[in-house]
Amino acid sequence: MWKKRHPIENGSILARSSSSSSSVSVSGDSEEEDTGFLEVTVTDMRHPPPELGPMPEGLSPQQVVRRHILGSIVQSEGSYVDSLRRILQDYRNPLMEMEPKVLSARKCQVVFFRLKEILQCHSMFQIALFSRVAEWDATEKIGDLFVASFSKSMVLDVYSDYVNNFTSAMSLIKKACLTKPAFLEFLKKRQMSSPDRVTLYGLMVKPIQRFPQFILLLQDMLKNTPKGHPERLSLQLALTELETLAEKLNEQKRVADQVAEIQQLTKSISDRSSLNKLLNSGQRQLLLCETLTETVYGDRGQLIKSKERKVFLLNDMLVCANINFKGQLEISSLVPLGPKYVVKWNTALPQVQVVEVGQENSTYDKDNVVIQNAGAKKHVPTSQSSHNKVYLGPPRLFQELQDLQKDLAVVEQITQLISTLHGTYQNLNMTVAQDWCLALQRMMRVKEEEIHSANKCRLRLLLPGKPDKSGRPISFMVVFITPNPVSKISWVNRLHLAKLGLRDENQPGWLCPDEDKKTKAPFWCPILACRMPAFSSKALDLQLGAVVHNPVQSSLLGFSAVSTSLPQGYLWVGGGQEGAGGQVEIFSLNRSVPRTVKSFPVASQVLCIEYIPEKSGEEQEKTEDSQATAEQASALHPTICLGLQDGSIMVYGSVDTGTQCLLTCKSPGRQPVLCLKHSPDYLFAGLQNGIVAAYAKNSGGLWDLEAKPTCLQVGTGPVRVLLTLDDTLWASCANQVTVLDAASLKAQDTFEAHPDKEASVTHMIKAGSGVWMAFSSGSSIRLFHTETLEHLQEINIATRTTFVLPGQKNVRVTSLLICQGLLWVGTDQGIIVLLPVPRLEGIPKITGKGMVSLNGHCGPVEFLAMAASTLAPDILKSDKEEEGGEAVCGDEEKPEGRCPEPVTHDSHPGREMRKKGILLQYRLRSTSHLPGQLLSVREAPAVAGAGALEHTEEDGSIYEMADDPDVWVRSRPCARDTHRKEISSLAIISGGRGYRSFNASSKGPACSETDSTLLIWQVPLTL
């Protein structure tokens, strides 16, 4: 298990009394609460604040930077301790001593709960920091001090109590401000008399922000500490401790906020209502809540009204409430005001449907459902609300697109008629007619972009209503404007996953073992989205070998589809029969359920697959500088490498380039290829006979499989797993791991990963500054440091799996995966265990008990893989950015601006009529240069005036003159800078024999099917 090697420095501990308890009930009016901590008084006289001495000469640039970072740590900690003292000296103490009291002693205890203990922790830390600062230039040590000071359970206890109590404290302050003018006056005076004018809330929120600040400072320190420096491991351990602490506090704060939000909602509902009972049952989790703008439109798409609503997405229902801010607005500057809610409607989640603009007909049974627009019943006549006439949001966008399509068909017919004219006319000929067609086509493109933009910030929900008198179901549409496109995507994604979460296999999907037996699976836990056969061929009994995700962004996917689909791209699954042929199955993930797009046989069983992404920009430039060849063109695209049982290595192009087999070769001695890894310069193959074969690149950028590879002997047994780390390659053979230089291919080091020589390393996975390893025997996984190769932690997986299969202690780990702060562990019993690990560049040690999946396989979990993709940046652009970046069609020069209305000789009424119309013009600026006479009832204007009649090509985009430019509420809801955000879509794939439910209350058979099966989990989209 984890061993602390860092002694506690300079007495930087707080003594705890033996009768202490981390949970203190504050009751009664006693002046001091029983905290369970022995108070330690720290004075500035005995312990002067830490200060750095003059900078010595001859320091390296990195040493100078580290010195500055230490100064920032000292200054930041001093400021934080001063803020804690201010809370106690300027607020708590005067309120306790004040007569008559404006806040009782009991309420003061609630408001300032645990602040004294937090101050004591950091006062002691300051004492230890002083000695480190004094000896900095001799030792340059700081990481172990953070570990010693903040790894103690006492620190977590006091901060947890503070964070859990924070919402109650703020609520009490708000209530006192509204009911006690003297207390409000006291807060105002204290704020005005302070030098920085920081409010009490501004001071009290600092403990919640403290550890993220520490993390940023230590990340900077680590970044400027070179490899090989003795301080690096201490800094990485410190980062791990602080990140773990911050994660626990964040989760507690999130849960506390969730409970407070649900309580606030519950207060607004009658005690007798069924919704009140549901919310008080303790079974509801708040997945998402946000203030959205509900909009109501008329039958012509005009905006009738809009109002802000608070929308709550719970794990099984959707609630919409009016927001009612009551009370004195003057206190909003002192403490955040919580609104009161009035529930408008609530509905069960399975009945909620997301409907995009232009997709109404495919979403519901239009013959049996009558749609009404929520909030617009007074404005829509009864005759219009029947016959499925839908007036929802701006439906005219889609209608106008259909009108343009019809008009284009008519103009094309006119064009054919024009081609039969016998005369030649300047303004009526094939050139003009074709220009009309081009203008209409451009207008259709613009309209399609508008429909796309309308979907970006518009959330349209179809909800069930009461049936009409004839018994026919009535649904009503609610249209919300989200603050930005990211918010819209998040809502659609969470609604989709919440519905999946209500399926039987996800009720529950995970078991969270804990001492109190009350811990429920957190809201972010992966949701089992689907399970399916790994191979389309049922005739052959195919074993799974490997899987890899080839990310490909699809521009064809709609805005809503990317919110609900699996990570975009293709999933390659390889396998076969031992001693016989192999099979490759390729699935498309560009939807919520995968589908097979290609399946093909290979000569032998597939043992491993490696995905090699397309070249980086610099590499592409180098290739473009040299003479382009067909091979070079192929090398620019992603490739997939297969390693087979018969020693073959096959390189395929991606699905988008036709899945061609680009290269093939046999390994040295035709040894089975057990694993493949690539670096910028080499393709490495781990072989059955203990050799790592390294294939270099040829001049075209592809691997030179025809040339003899460089063979590196790392042992006599099979090379089961390879891992590329920065500029090194780790290769396992038996119970040892050899570290090779990835460029020179020379061995740097070899170390023993397991004391048992029979326990071969079967899996290696990197996270932060550590590597987790699994073995061919035993139920333990082990953690090693990437730089010192030191063994840091060992975890017995069997202690987790016994929660699902009691008594089964002989467990073997068969697969490993790390993603988004979770270590996925697959076992030979088909059970999947999730263990939390830090995400940053610290040491990925396991600190929590994790979760056990109640969905697994009937046999060993053969592999665990991650499918990840990033949403295309243009998806997140707001309307304004798109309008600003709109390219001008055609080859002519881009005009400086849109031309004003053309000057004509028409009468005033004629000009008014044309103002409402469209100038159908695309590339032609004038027809004066075309042959033939001008077809007009008026005489042709003089050539001198011809310039006044000319238009720019941009006129083709002046496709409508609307009376109300805000009829679509365009651009305004979209927040700035949303295009700079990145949204990641993630899914986890496991493969094994059949599907097994480990849920004791499951109705179906425990184990079904024996064919190779894929299970796919989705997690919420992450920013």
Side-chain angles (χ1 to χ4, degrees):
M1 294 301 292
W2 187 258
K3 297 178 183 176
K4 292 185 182 135
R5 291 178 296 282
H6 304 281
I8 295 174
E9 302 277 339
N10 299 296
S12 58
I13 61 170
L14 267 177
R16 264 191 104 153
S17 63
S18 58
S19 60
S20 68
S21 170
S22 62
S23 58
V24 177
S25 61
V26 282
S27 59
D29 291 329
S30 61
E31 191 167 306
E32 293 294 332
E33 64 267 30
D34 177 20
T35 62
F37 292 88
L38 300 179
E39 187 169 346
V40 180
T41 305
V42 182
T43 66
D44 292 336
M45 297 280 290
R46 289 180 58 191
H47 306 284
E51 287 184 10
L52 270 170
M55 188 179 297
E57 294 181 1
L59 296 181
S60 70
Q62 280 190 321
Q63 284 179 307
V64 173
V65 172
R66 288 206 300 278
R67 225 171 175 276
H68 284 306
I69 295 168
L70 179 66
S72 297
I73 292 173
V74 170
Q75 185 273 329
S76 169
E77 183 64 8
S79 173
Y80 177 59
V81 170
D82 286 344
S83 296
L84 295 175
R85 288 198 177 113
R86 276 175 60 184
I87 297 172
L88 296 176
Q89 293 171 5
D90 295 354
Y91 289 93
R92 180 189 181 277
N93 295 348
L95 285 170
M96 294 289 285
E97 296 165 2
M98 193 179 291
E99 291 294 341
K101 291 188 181 297
V102 294
L103 207 63
S104 70
R106 184 183 64 81
K107 289 180 178 177
C108 279
Q109 290 171 21
V110 174
V111 171
F112 303 105
F113 187 50
R114 288 298 195 215
L115 274 166
K116 284 179 69 177
E117 289 77 20
I118 291 175
L119 176 58
Q120 287 170 17
C121 286
H122 286 269
S123 297
M124 286 298 188
F125 175 64
Q126 261 196 326
I127 296 171
L129 188 60
F130 171 70
S131 67
R132 287 309 171 85
V133 169
E135 59 194 33
W136 174 259
D137 293 313
T139 62
E140 291 193 344
K141 287 176 68 178
I142 191 75
D144 58 335
L145 174 60
F146 277 92
V147 174
S149 300
F150 298 113
S151 63
K152 298 183 291 292
S153 61
M154 175 200 63
V155 177
L156 177 61
D157 289 344
V158 294
Y159 267 97
S160 293
D161 289 346
Y162 183 82
V163 166
N164 293 337
N165 181 67
F166 186 78
T167 305
S168 300
M170 291 303 107
S171 177
L172 202 153
I173 292 173
K174 184 185 75 173
K175 189 173 180 181
C177 285
L178 293 171
T179 57
K180 297 184 178 181
F183 178 72
L184 178 60
E185 195 61 31
F186 170 79
L187 293 185
K188 284 182 180 178
K189 283 182 179 178
R190 289 293 172 180
Q191 182 199 358
M192 296 302 292
S193 62
S194 64
D196 52 11
R197 302 290 175 90
V198 175
T199 64
L200 175 59
Y201 172 79
L203 292 170
M204 290 187 67
V205 82
K206 289 191 176 185
I208 294 172
Q209 301 165 341
R210 187 61 192 138
F211 291 108
Q213 292 166 349
F214 270 151
I215 287 169
L216 291 174
L217 288 166
L218 285 186
Q219 281 180 312
D220 285 344
M221 186 72 85
L222 182 62
K223 202 179 295 180
N224 288 281
T225 304
K227 284 189 178 180
H229 194 289
E231 175 67 354
R232 276 187 68 85
L233 179 56
S234 294
L235 287 172
Q236 288 162 345
L237 288 169
L239 262 178
T240 297
E241 292 294 346
L242 292 174
E243 185 189 349
T244 303
L245 191 55
E247 281 289 329
K248 288 178 179 176
L249 294 176
N250 283 343
E251 180 64 12
Q252 290 176 0
K253 179 75 167 65
R254 188 197 64 76
V255 171
D257 289 346
Q258 179 193 86
V259 170
E261 201 70 71
I262 292 180
Q263 286 176 348
Q264 188 71 20
L265 180 63
T266 308
K267 286 177 186 176
S268 66
I269 306 166
S270 167
D271 294 341
R272 297 181 180 179
S273 73
S274 57
L275 180 58
N276 188 293
K277 293 175 183 175
L278 288 172
L279 293 176
N280 280 318
S281 66
Q283 301 300 313
R284 300 292 171 282
Q285 282 187 309
L286 183 63
L287 306 184
L288 189 62
C289 70
E290 192 175 14
T291 301
L292 306 178
T293 304
E294 183 180 359
T295 54
V296 178
Y297 298 89
D299 56 351
R300 291 174 299 163
Q302 73 275 20
L303 181 66
I304 296 175
K305 62 179 180 179
S306 66
K307 189 171 183 180
E308 286 192 338
R309 311 281 190 203
K310 192 65 174 265
V311 186
F312 301 83
L313 174 59
L314 304 173
N315 54 303
D316 62 351
M317 69 168 67
L318 192 67
V319 182
C320 176
N322 289 333
I323 305 171
N324 184 15
F325 280 98
K326 284 187 177 180
Q328 300 175 24
L329 290 177
E330 59 180 322
I331 76 165
S332 62
S333 62
L334 298 172
V335 63
L337 273 173
K340 290 186 177 180
Y341 302 123
V342 179
V343 173
K344 193 168 184 285
W345 51 259
N346 65 281
T347 188
L349 211 52
Q351 298 173 314
V352 179
Q353 296 182 63
V354 178
V355 184
E356 296 293 9
V357 173
Q359 296 176 357
E360 290 87 356
N361 292 340
S362 60
T363 307
Y364 54 86
D365 182 2
K366 61 181 180 179
D367 295 325
N368 297 315
V369 178
V370 177
I371 308 295
Q372 292 183 352
N373 188 10
K377 293 178 183 176
K378 296 177 182 177
H379 307 276
V380 182
T382 308
S383 60
Q384 290 181 341
S385 66
S386 58
H387 306 299
N388 302 303
K389 273 206 163 188
V390 185
Y391 301 103
L392 318 168
R396 67 194 183 94
L397 290 178
F398 194 62
Q399 183 61 49
E400 285 169 357
L401 178 61
Q402 291 178 323
D403 291 344
L404 285 171
Q405 290 169 340
K406 292 174 183 174
D407 290 348
L408 178 60
V410 172
V411 171
E412 285 172 343
Q413 291 176 357
I414 294 171
T415 303
Q416 290 178 352
L417 291 173
I418 289 174
S419 67
T420 63
L421 290 172
H422 295 285
T424 305
Y425 308 101
Q426 258 189 43
N427 56 343
L428 187 65
N429 51 50
M430 285 300 291
T431 304
V432 173
Q434 286 168 359
D435 194 63
W436 293 344
C437 292
L438 287 170
L440 279 166
Q441 287 168 1
R442 173 181 165 79
M443 288 153 61
M444 285 166 61
R445 283 197 300 273
V446 171
K447 196 63 63 179
E448 285 168 352
E449 287 170 7
E450 284 195 347
I451 290 173
H452 187 62
S453 295
N455 284 336
K456 280 192 175 181
C457 292
R458 183 167 283 104
L459 180 64
R460 305 168 80 237
L461 302 178
L462 189 63
L463 308 172
K466 294 180 180 178
D468 61 10
K469 293 180 180 179
S470 65
R472 191 161 50 157
I474 291 182
S475 292
F476 64 97
M477 187 74 73
V478 181
V479 182
F480 293 110
I481 303 296
T482 62
N484 50 56
V486 174
S487 171
K488 160 70 183 292
I489 287 177
S490 183
W491 272 99
V492 177
N493 176 255
R494 290 295 175 87
L495 280 164
H496 172 69
L497 292 184
K499 287 184 180 182
L500 294 180
L502 295 176
R503 293 178 180 173
D504 289 343
E505 58 266 31
N506 290 311
Q507 290 288 320
W510 297 89
L511 180 65
C512 299
D514 209 315
E515 291 88 349
D516 58 10
K517 302 296 180 187
K518 295 178 182 176
T519 307
K520 286 185 281 189
F523 79 108
W524 47 259
C525 71
I527 300 290
L528 183 63
C530 60
R531 64 178 193 263
M532 60 190 191
F535 300 105
S536 53
S537 172
K538 296 270 186 180
L540 300 172
D541 182 23
L542 299 173
Q543 298 174 8
L544 285 168
V547 66
V548 78
H549 177 238
N550 171 21
V552 177
Q553 287 187 348
S554 172
S555 58
L556 300 176
L557 283 182
F559 189 72
S560 181
V562 297
S563 311
T564 58
S565 72
L566 294 162
Q568 296 174 47
Y570 301 96
L571 191 70
W572 290 57
V573 180
Q577 292 178 304
E578 195 166 346
Q583 185 78 11
V584 174
E585 198 91 9
I586 304 176
F587 297 90
S588 168
L589 301 184
N590 295 341
R591 54 187 67 206
S592 55
V593 178
R595 62 184 178 91
T596 302
V597 291
K598 192 160 189 176
S599 178
F600 58 89
V602 288
S604 181
Q605 185 180 4
V606 180
L607 300 181
C608 55
I609 310 179
E610 173 78 345
Y611 167 68
I612 300 169
E614 59 188 338
K615 285 187 175 183
S616 64
E618 292 178 6
E619 289 176 317
Q620 284 189 27
E621 285 173 15
K622 288 178 185 175
T623 307
E624 285 166 7
D625 290 341
S626 59
Q627 189 175 358
T629 65
E631 274 193 345
Q632 286 169 346
S634 300
L636 293 176
H637 296 288
T639 53
I640 289 86
C641 300
L642 307 182
L644 306 188
Q645 177 75 39
D646 66 357
S648 298
I649 298 176
M650 309 178 79
V651 180
Y652 284 85
S654 64
V655 176
D656 289 354
T657 56
T659 329
Q660 296 175 326
C661 185
L662 305 174
L663 296 168
T664 183
C665 79
K666 293 289 184 180
S667 66
R670 295 180 178 254
Q671 290 289 318
V673 182
L674 304 184
C675 48
L676 288 167
K677 279 291 174 202
H678 78 280
S679 72
D681 302 316
Y682 291 97
L683 175 66
F684 299 102
L687 308 181
Q688 180 80 33
N689 60 354
I691 286 178
V692 175
Y695 295 88
K697 286 185 177 177
N698 58 25
S699 58
L702 278 172
W703 311 113
D704 194 354
L705 300 184
E706 295 179 2
K708 188 177 179 181
T710 304
C711 292
L712 311 166
Q713 188 80 43
V714 296
T716 55
V719 179
R720 292 178 180 270
V721 58
L722 296 171
L723 179 67
T724 49
L725 286 178
D726 299 327
D727 50 0
T728 64
L729 173 76
W730 289 28
S732 79
C733 186
N735 67 330
Q736 294 193 323
V737 174
T738 302
V739 181
L740 303 161
D741 186 290
S744 67
L745 305 181
K746 291 182 179 178
Q748 292 182 347
D749 210 336
T750 300
F751 65 95
E752 191 177 82
H754 200 284
D756 183 2
K757 291 186 178 180
E758 300 300 318
S760 300
V761 179
T762 55
H763 296 86
M764 293 191 290
I765 193 83
K766 178 187 180 291
S769 300
V771 173
W772 278 102
M773 297 186 189
F775 305 90
S776 59
S777 62
S779 56
S780 293
I781 55 175
R782 307 181 113 214
L783 173 65
F784 292 85
H785 191 220
T786 56
E787 296 171 25
T788 65
L789 311 182
E790 189 178 342
H791 173 222
L792 300 176
Q793 191 180 21
E794 185 165 354
I795 294 291
N796 185 2
I797 296 301
T799 59
R800 272 73 175 179
T801 58
T802 51
F803 288 103
V804 176
L805 292 178
Q808 289 280 354
K809 295 183 179 179
N810 297 323
V811 178
R812 184 170 55 86
V813 175
T814 56
S815 49
L816 281 181
L817 174 72
I818 282 185
C819 76
Q820 284 199 341
L822 290 173
L823 173 62
W824 292 65
V825 183
T827 68
D828 60 344
Q829 297 174 339
I831 300 171
I832 296 171
V833 178
L834 252 64
L835 299 166
V837 292
R839 303 183 189 211
L840 302 179
E841 52 273 60
I843 305 299
K845 66 170 189 170
I846 293 166
T847 53
K849 294 204 172 191
M851 305 186 291
V852 181
S853 175
L854 295 176
N855 297 291
H857 297 278
C858 302
V861 181
E862 299 292 352
F863 54 66
L864 286 164
M866 176 179 67
S869 69
T870 302
L871 268 61
D874 59 323
I875 290 273
L876 306 178
K877 282 185 180 177
S878 64
D879 297 349
K880 285 179 180 176
E881 292 160 346
E882 287 185 345
E883 287 167 4
E886 220 173 60
V888 178
C889 297
D891 300 322
E892 291 81 14
E893 294 179 10
K894 184 175 178 179
E896 290 184 7
R898 191 174 279 180
C899 287
E901 280 288 317
V903 179
T904 67
H905 300 284
D906 289 346
S907 62
H908 183 75
R911 204 175 329 145
E912 276 296 309
M913 285 179 66
R914 199 185 65 255
K915 187 180 177 183
K916 296 287 184 185
I918 297 171
L919 182 63
L920 202 60
Q921 184 172 312
Y922 183 62
R923 291 185 178 177
L924 290 179
R925 301 189 178 193
S926 168
T927 59
S928 59
H929 64 284
L930 296 177
Q933 58 182 329
L934 182 68
L935 196 63
S936 172
V937 293
R938 298 177 178 273
E939 291 183 9
V943 177
L949 286 169
E950 290 187 359
H951 302 279
T952 68
E953 61 181 285
E954 191 67 12
D955 286 342
S957 67
I958 307 176
Y959 50 87
E960 90 154 359
M961 305 286 183
D963 294 326
D964 179 10
D966 282 336
V967 78
W968 300 325
V969 202
R970 282 180 53 113
S971 303
R972 292 184 299 176
C974 300
R976 289 171 294 180
D977 298 331
T978 47
H979 68 289
R980 294 178 188 167
K981 295 181 180 177
E982 194 175 83
I983 292 187
S984 299
S985 176
L986 193 73
I988 308 298
I989 301 100
S990 75
R993 288 281 179 188
Y995 162 76
R996 181 176 182 181
S997 172
F998 293 98
N999 190 346
S1001 60
S1002 177
K1003 297 175 183 176
C1007 194
S1008 61
E1009 308 152 12
T1010 56
D1011 292 335
S1012 295
T1013 302
L1014 300 180
L1015 303 182
I1016 300 182
W1017 283 268
Q1018 267 185 280
V1019 295
L1021 292 175
T1022 54
L1023 289 178

